Amino acid sequence: MVSIDEVAREAGVSTATVSRALSGRGNVSEPTRARVEAAAKSLGYVVSASASSLASGRTRNIGVLVPFLDRWFFSTVLSGTATALQRLGYDITLYQLTADPNQRREIFDTFLRRQRVDGVIAISIELGEEETERLVELDLPVIAIGGPNPRLTTLTVDDVAIARLATEHLIALGHRAIAHIGASPEYDLDFHIPTHRRRGFEQALADAGIPARPELYEPADFTIEGGFRAAKQLLGRPGANPSAIVAASDEMAIGAILAARELGYRVPEDLSVAGIDGHELGAFFRLTTVDQFPLRQGERAAGAILAELDSPAAGVRQARADLPFELIVRGSTARLPSP
């Protein structure tokens, strides 16, 4: 193992200067920093995490709470977070929060209290009062994606507005018999995202003077397979005859496109389909969607947690920031043909 003394001798500086140069903290001139980094690289020296932690009081590790690891949205946000943190020399410790209350309690009462993380990012997890209190007691920066949570700094997407935008796009194309694929109660969990998206859908219809029709609603499970099954139900239901579908997720919208094609519908000539999320498969299926930029959400959460670590003033915390979204029009939606 190469020691810090060897790097100091190679660079012609003190060990204290090596420490400041490689940690990024303290005043070191750029030529000196470059000389130290070159010496460290040539000798194969890597800063000891434990030594760095003792010197700085930081672990350079961020705890990330996530409800699912096998769902596209959560893995994409996580990818953005991990990439941004690793770029700046931070590790992450991943904690999957299930619905099991005992497992959740162990994470908040034991794992997060071991002082192994400098901050916590919660990805689209609705935290209970007791769980929020446990996080606040850690006296660490916490960034929550989703929400809002009045006691934490939150990055929030307006799911009502997102669904309104997708629905208004179809209404502007002349559609009035618009179906909605949402979620059944067992999938309407953290922050009730499906409920908010259905509300935005119904608000857009009401504003256009279009009555909501119960037979044009079908629940699913936010997967391609679920969207496929739901669309088959909608398109095969007597008297329904929708000319367009708004799905509460891109994966369900892709399933709807596949179901429509199997039933002989042309998309978008016979049926327009719009989704929500900005899924990476959207471009392949030429899916019109409202993109909520999940990768950027993760990057922004990483930037926010590091900003709070650098400026830990109480006034920085407990803020809310609205996350951007954008309608991306592709080939799955078209103007309703004249009768």
Side-chain angles (χ1 to χ4, degrees):
M1 292 286 291
V2 177
S3 70
I4 191 172
D5 298 292
E6 293 174 81
V7 177
R9 284 195 297 271
E10 178 75 13
V13 298
S14 68
T15 55
T17 299
V18 172
S19 178
R20 290 197 301 272
L22 296 182
S23 69
R25 291 180 292 274
N27 293 324
V28 179
S29 69
E30 282 307 313
T32 300
R33 188 186 308 279
R35 194 162 72 250
V36 170
E37 289 175 347
K41 184 176 181 180
S42 68
L43 294 171
Y45 175 74
V46 178
V47 178
S48 164
S50 58
S52 176
S53 176
L54 286 172
S56 66
R58 296 254 186 105
T59 66
R60 298 190 74 79
N61 187 31
I62 302 297
V64 181
L65 307 176
V66 64
F68 300 102
L69 296 175
D70 58 350
R71 296 287 182 89
W72 167 83
F73 174 80
F74 300 101
S75 62
T76 303
V77 176
L78 178 61
S79 176
T81 299
T83 300
L85 289 173
Q86 289 167 8
R87 192 183 302 127
L88 296 171
Y90 277 77
D91 295 315
I92 67 169
T93 297
L94 191 61
Y95 302 98
Q96 184 179 3
L97 279 187
T98 68
D100 180 358
N102 293 325
Q103 185 260 5
R104 292 173 74 107
R105 191 176 302 111
E106 185 175 16
I107 287 176
F108 286 98
D109 290 351
T110 303
F111 289 93
L112 291 176
R113 300 175 74 86
R114 289 175 174 170
Q115 298 183 329
R116 293 178 179 174
V117 297
D118 296 327
V120 177
I121 296 173
I123 299 177
S124 295
I125 295 174
E126 187 168 12
L127 302 171
E129 270 300 317
E130 186 176 338
E131 293 173 339
T132 300
E133 183 63 31
R134 292 289 180 271
L135 286 180
V136 172
E137 287 174 355
L138 294 174
D139 196 29
L140 296 174
V142 179
I143 301 296
I145 299 177
N149 186 319
R151 302 188 65 191
L152 302 174
T153 302
T154 58
L155 308 178
T156 304
V157 170
D158 188 339
D159 284 293
V160 174
I162 280 179
R164 282 182 63 102
L165 182 58
T167 310
E168 288 167 350
H169 166 67
L170 293 170
I171 293 170
L173 292 174
H175 296 277
R176 294 183 66 83
I178 305 173
H180 180 59
I181 299 176
S184 51
E186 62 265 33
Y187 297 103
D188 191 11
L189 301 174
D190 295 293
F191 304 122
H192 302 291
I193 291 170
T195 295
H196 292 312
R197 291 184 180 177
R198 181 172 181 176
R199 186 177 302 149
F201 166 76
E202 291 175 345
Q203 285 182 4
L205 293 182
D207 288 349
I210 302 172
R213 294 165 52 187
E215 70 272 18
L216 292 182
Y217 174 78
E218 187 67 29
D221 61 359
F222 273 60
T223 66
I224 292 175
E225 295 84 355
F228 180 88
R229 291 191 297 269
K232 277 203 160 183
Q233 288 291 322
L234 286 168
L235 297 174
R237 188 167 292 155
N241 301 321
S243 65
I245 294 175
V246 175
S249 77
D250 280 351
E251 289 181 89
M252 294 194 294
I254 290 168
I257 290 174
L258 295 174
R261 290 174 178 171
E262 185 169 296
L263 293 172
Y265 287 80
R266 297 170 302 163
V267 177
E269 293 85 355
D270 303 322
L271 180 74
S272 287
V273 179
I276 294 170
D277 278 338
H279 197 288
E280 58 192 8
L281 290 175
F284 178 80
F285 283 93
R286 301 179 65 230
L287 176 65
T288 293
T289 185
V290 179
D291 195 342
Q292 61 169 317
F293 310 110
L295 194 70
R296 284 191 233 165
Q297 287 187 25
E299 294 170 347
R300 186 164 173 180
I305 201 80
L306 296 182
E308 290 205 1
L309 282 168
D310 291 338
S311 303
V316 175
R317 300 190 187 183
Q318 298 181 25
R320 171 178 169 174
D322 290 328
L323 294 167
F325 53 88
E326 180 183 351
L327 176 67
I328 309 295
V329 179
R330 298 193 181 102
S332 68
T333 55
R335 183 165 294 281
L336 181 69
S338 302

